[in-house]
Structures are given as C-alpha cells and as structure tokens.
Amino acid sequence: MSPVPMTHRLWAEFPGTFWLVFGGCGSAVLAAKVVSDGTINMGIGFVGVALAFGLTVVTGAYAVGHISGGHFNPARSLGVAWYAGGDALSQVWVFILASPVGAAIASISYVFLTGDEDDAPAEAEARVGAEG
C-alpha cells in the first residue's frame, strides 16, 4: 500500500473537522435556546447532543479516516505525532493547520445558515441585570 500524499491528507482533515464542528457543536448550540420568557427549551437535549457528536465522529472517520487517520483535533494530532516521533512530527503541521480552518469555516457557515449572530447572551445578560 502506497503512502497517501500530504495534500490528500490535508483535504481529508478539513471536511472532517468541518463536519465535526458543524454537526456536533451546531447541535449543542441548537440544543438549548433561551426562549423570550426566560425559560429554557432543551430541544434535542443532552442525549441528542451526545449522539450528534458521536455520529459526526463516526461518519467522519468512515468517510476520511482511511486517508488522514481521522484526527479532527489538533491536540490529538500532536499527541500521536509526539508519541510516534520521526516523520510524524515533521508532518503534524498539516493536521494542526487543517483543523482550525475547517472549524472556523463550519462556524461561519452555521451563523450564515441559521442567522444566529449570538444575540442570546446579550439578551440574557440584560434580563439578569433588570431582574437582579
């Protein structure tokens, strides 16, 4: 089996991390929304968020794990490279670069698609200040 080219690894890690952040973190954000009367609507709940993260990791690993190893996390990439040493340490920059880029684009895509520009924390803070 021939080694996978570095460009293929880079382009595999990027969508893998995008999928993890968009599906996992997106579900966590959607799980609990503060409703206008101050109550909390749990949406998919804790189990739904856990399942969303688990399913995004599994689908990402099945989709691109054979190409890049399915790291999707710079800390995991660095730990594995540190343990393996040698060539792995010289190649870890690809995984450290691709993961934050994929995560940032997933975050921007989430805000663009949902129109949620993080107004809820400011509203909640104003409500607490008015009540307290």
Side-chain angles (χ1 to χ4, degrees):
M1 184 170 154
S2 63
V4 178
M6 192 57 69
T7 55
H8 292 181
R9 292 181 192 181
L10 174 71
W11 289 111
E13 280 296 306
F14 169 77
T17 306
F18 177 93
W19 179 239
L20 177 64
V21 171
F22 191 78
C25 296
S27 69
V29 170
L30 292 174
K33 290 276 189 173
V34 177
V35 184
S36 61
D37 65 353
T39 61
I40 296 176
N41 178 9
M42 287 305 293
I44 63 173
F46 298 125
V47 173
V49 172
L51 285 172
F53 270 105
L55 290 173
T56 56
V57 169
V58 167
T59 56
Y62 272 111
V64 298
H66 64 285
I67 299 170
S68 67
H71 294 224
F72 312 140
N73 181 342
R76 182 187 181 282
S77 301
L78 188 60
V80 169
W82 186 283
Y83 180 76
D87 264 354
L89 279 173
S90 66
Q91 297 173 0
V92 76
W93 68 269
V94 170
F95 303 104
I96 292 175
L97 175 71
S99 294
V101 171
I105 293 177
S107 302
I108 292 167
S109 299
Y110 174 79
V111 169
F112 178 74
L113 290 174
T114 62
D116 188 6
E117 295 181 5
D118 202 26
D119 293 332
E123 292 172 7
E125 186 176 318
R127 190 177 312 110
V128 168
E131 292 174 358

